[in-house]
Amino acid sequence: MLTDLGLDALGEYRSSYVRPDDFDSFWDSTLAEARSLALAVEAVPVATPLRTLDVYDVSFAGCDGDRIRAWLRTPRGMSGLPAVVQYHGYGGNRGSAVENLTWASAGFAHLQVEVRDQRGGTGFLTRGITGRSTYFYRRVFVDAVRAVDAVRALGSSDVAIIGNSQGGGIALAVAGLVPDLAAVHAQAPFLCDLRRALNVCGRPPYTELTTYLAENRRADVFPTLSYFDGVGFASRATAPAWFSVGLMDDIVPPSTVFGAYHAYAGPKQMAVWEHSAHEAGGSDDLDIALDAFRSRLLEKP
């Protein structure tokens, strides 16, 4: 069943989100602080049974210099390829060295980044929420930008970013913070149009925020969240973007995806999967992204 507005209403919907006046200066100073520290990228070859791909255990300095881990997978013996940086969903992790082989098998350098502290955990939406400088996602978004820096330091000049759910929200944040990306794929992006999400979504993880507000009756999370809303980042982004949404998604309300999509400042396309839930088209949507990225990054003149 539909979980939100119908398709015609979604086409007309515009988010009420307003970007804070110092949104740009906050993020410019945050990234300048992070980049004042050495990136210190390390890439250690990993022995695997894979015969067509090379795998590296990568680490680099993220926010506050904390070490962030990622897998780098590349076609065997190749370097300097266009890269796809991928961010994972809420409570997930980077998986094993021999999982998620699609992008490297398609001819890209593929960096699968691990979001700090999230191996199966919850409660991240409210961690440090009393201030913008202490909020959990400040560190996550800085780590995500530094992942792009890291893959470039390893030899990839053309970089695209992708993610599903939380990963899609992180990808939109990076799209708004890194001006020269090649492409973006945001599949059912979480962390967008947050005030709307809290009003219409009764499923985790958004209920972490509504529970926090119910238990702390005078708390106001929105001044902090306004610096982390995907709609704000979308309005700064210029890279070509492919969005997707499932109209039966009860985890990320479709209207919140459209809120970010309509605000997105660069070239954009939306794939609407009328009978999909949070998978937002799944492998069929992945085919769209693969075709788009191949033509933009691997087959360009």
Side-chain angles (χ1 to χ4, degrees):
M1 60 179 288
L2 293 179
T3 59
D4 199 350
L5 303 175
L7 187 56
D8 290 343
L10 290 170
E12 297 296 325
Y13 174 75
R14 297 297 185 273
S15 172
S16 62
Y17 167 85
V18 177
R19 200 166 76 189
D21 290 341
D22 61 347
F23 184 98
D24 292 347
S25 61
F26 170 72
W27 281 107
D28 289 347
S29 62
T30 295
L31 292 181
E33 177 185 339
R35 285 171 166 153
S36 71
L37 303 175
L39 186 59
V41 183
E42 297 179 358
V44 179
V46 176
T48 75
L50 303 176
R51 304 184 67 177
T52 60
L53 302 177
D54 293 322
V55 182
Y56 302 86
D57 189 358
V58 171
S59 65
F60 57 91
C63 189
D64 299 324
D66 298 338
R67 299 303 289 177
I68 305 301
R69 306 297 292 273
W71 297 121
L72 176 65
R73 305 179 183 92
T74 64
R76 176 63 56 89
M78 300 184 70
S79 61
L81 295 167
V84 171
V85 178
Q86 183 169 11
Y87 310 105
H88 63 68
Y90 193 81
N93 57 71
R94 63 175 174 159
S96 79
V98 296
E99 291 181 300
N100 198 0
L101 308 181
T102 300
W103 290 98
S105 298
F108 296 91
H110 176 225
L111 190 75
Q112 171 72 66
V113 184
E114 180 148 294
V115 177
R116 59 171 64 219
D117 302 335
Q118 279 203 354
R119 286 184 163 263
T122 60
F124 307 107
L125 281 180
T126 59
R127 187 180 294 184
I129 202 168
T130 55
R132 63 185 187 177
S133 294
T134 58
Y135 190 42
F136 175 76
Y137 281 98
R138 173 181 176 271
R139 296 189 292 277
V140 171
F141 292 169
V142 170
D143 297 342
V145 169
R146 295 288 269 173
V148 174
D149 296 343
V151 82
R152 285 177 167 161
L154 292 170
S156 295
S157 56
D158 292 333
V159 180
I161 54 175
I162 65 171
N164 170 270
S165 193
Q166 175 188 254
I170 296 172
L172 284 181
V174 176
L177 295 172
V178 179
D180 55 350
L181 296 168
V184 181
H185 181 220
Q187 194 177 42
F190 185 54
L191 301 169
C192 297
D193 204 359
L194 291 165
R195 191 181 288 269
R196 166 79 181 174
L198 268 60
N199 287 338
V200 300
C201 187
R203 288 282 308 276
Y206 279 130
T207 50
E208 292 178 13
L209 285 169
T210 52
T211 298
Y212 179 90
L213 288 168
E215 293 176 349
N216 299 272
R217 296 185 186 281
R218 289 181 295 277
D220 183 0
V221 300
F222 293 105
T224 295
L225 293 177
S226 65
Y227 292 90
F228 302 91
D229 196 306
V231 177
F233 293 111
S235 68
R236 288 172 41 126
T238 58
W242 285 261
F243 287 73
S244 69
V245 63
L247 296 192
M248 296 187 176
D249 191 343
D250 60 353
I251 295 174
V252 169
S255 59
T256 67
V257 178
F258 273 87
Y261 174 76
H262 289 310
Y264 195 88
K268 59 196 176 187
Q269 298 181 31
M270 172 72 84
V272 176
W273 302 95
E274 294 190 46
H275 299 99
S276 281
H278 194 48
E279 77 279 7
S283 60
D284 290 327
D285 191 66
L286 177 61
D287 284 344
I288 294 173
L290 281 165
D291 287 343
F293 283 23
R294 184 184 301 113
S295 63
R296 286 197 64 82
L297 280 80
L298 296 182
E299 298 171 359
K300 66 180 185 178

